[in-house]
Amino acid sequence: ASPDAYEYLPPVIAHRGASGSAPENTRAAIALAAHQGARWIEVDVTISADGIAVIHHDADLARCSDGSGLVIQKRLAELKQLDAGSWYAAEFAQERMLTLTELLVLANQLELGLNLEIKPTIGREPETVWAMHKALQQVPFEQALLFSSFSIHALQAARRHLPHVTRGLNVEAIPADWQHRLEEADCAGLHFAREFFDAQAVKAIRAAGYHCMVFTVNDPDDARQLLQAGVDAVFTDFPQRLLQHLQGRAP
Ligand code: G3P
Ligand code: MG
């Protein structure tokens, strides 16, 4: 069995790469995260019409590219023609949507641990996980690897096809029945939104042996307080800012 990815988790994870300073989920944002000292990144994974795993947050293309329509209704060849950087700034016009295969090569080169957040189209969860499986067969990944998803169906498919990869459950708010939900999804950690942080709940989750991660935390003092409260790691769009601030942190 592979080691538990959470054992390698640093306190700061670059959310969609260094997405506060470069177009999210692109090669530029990922390279910048590494340059800024991040040791792990989080990116979002979905599939093209021809079943290729690609790195993109939204179901729709409009916000983060010069295209329109749904990612899942375009073939990879069409997605690759889109400009995935100009929406952020003109200097990133050469950015292209990454396949998961390309991302794995890049993260291996940059020695970045990886949280792949599975963002399936509802109804296409098994295909999405299967596409990830194919990419991971093509490119053996040498760094720590963690899957996560808001989708229980995706997590269950991941458990079936890639049982050795550690899984985390994404939620907005911490559910009252968090333990049941974690058991149902067979997950080792809970990832929730900053606005729903609850110190008592975090204590209970940690005491039960599960990990906690919080998204998205861009204020350094806030990050420090969350980590002191027992959160294992925070996702941030500004890794350098948080890392600089936390360097003086007591161990
Ligand atoms: O995986 C943590 C976080 O990325 C979940 O929310 O919308 O940023 O993908 P979102
Ligand atoms: Mg995400």
Side-chain angles (χ1 to χ4, degrees):
S2 305
D4 178 1
Y6 283 112
E7 300 305 322
Y8 299 91
L9 191 68
V12 173
I13 316 287
H15 180 239
R16 313 180 196 171
S19 61
S21 314
E24 63 181 57
N25 284 324
T26 62
R27 185 179 293 274
I30 292 157
L32 185 60
H35 180 74
Q36 291 188 355
R39 291 173 39 223
W40 275 46
I41 55 166
E42 181 262 8
V43 297
D44 306 290
V45 184
T46 193
I47 51 169
S48 63
D50 43 347
I52 310 295
V54 292
I55 308 304
H56 194 79
H57 179 275
D58 300 355
D60 196 278
L61 287 160
R63 184 176 62 88
C64 294
S65 80
D66 62 348
S68 63
L70 299 177
V71 177
I72 197 155
Q73 293 184 328
K74 311 272 184 204
R75 297 176 66 81
L76 180 64
E78 297 174 83
L79 295 172
K80 276 291 185 187
Q81 287 179 4
L82 302 177
D83 165 353
S86 287
W87 67 273
Y88 184 89
E91 67 191 275
F92 297 106
Q94 78 289 354
E95 293 301 324
R96 291 293 172 270
M97 193 184 293
L98 289 169
T99 62
L100 177 54
T101 305
E102 291 166 337
L103 173 88
L104 293 170
V105 170
L106 181 63
N108 270 338
Q109 280 168 356
L110 297 172
E111 299 184 3
L112 287 168
L114 193 53
N115 175 192
L116 295 177
E117 187 195 339
I118 313 169
K119 290 261 196 230
T121 300
I122 295 172
R124 298 281 172 86
E125 296 88 353
E127 290 90 336
T128 307
V129 170
W130 189 247
M132 294 170 69
H133 181 58
K134 281 196 286 189
L136 284 159
Q137 277 184 325
Q138 264 181 292
V139 183
F141 192 57
E142 295 148 11
Q143 312 300 317
L145 178 62
L146 172 66
F147 286 167
S148 62
S149 191
F150 289 97
S151 161
I152 179 94
H153 297 297
L155 290 166
Q156 288 171 339
R159 182 191 187 187
R160 263 196 315 279
H161 295 305
L162 290 150
H164 55 286
V165 180
T166 309
R167 292 173 302 277
L169 175 64
N170 281 1
V171 289
E172 287 291 329
I174 302 173
D177 62 344
W178 53 264
Q179 187 140 14
H180 169 73
R181 298 275 293 274
L182 286 166
E183 283 167 7
E184 180 187 42
D186 195 13
C187 283
L190 188 71
H191 310 170
F192 59 89
R194 169 64 187 97
E195 47 271 46
F196 296 100
F197 170 74
D198 172 336
Q200 290 310 315
V202 165
K203 262 194 197 146
I205 295 164
R206 299 289 289 122
Y210 295 101
H211 296 275
C212 277
M213 293 165 73
V214 178
F215 56 88
T216 303
V217 181
N218 291 334
D219 176 70
D221 281 322
D222 195 28
R224 183 190 292 264
Q225 282 167 22
L226 288 164
L227 294 167
Q228 278 168 354
V231 163
D232 290 282
V234 295
F235 297 95
T236 185
D237 303 330
F238 296 94
Q240 184 165 45
R241 182 197 290 174
L242 264 62
L243 287 166
Q244 277 176 355
H245 185 79
L246 293 173
Q247 261 154 19
R249 185 166 72 111

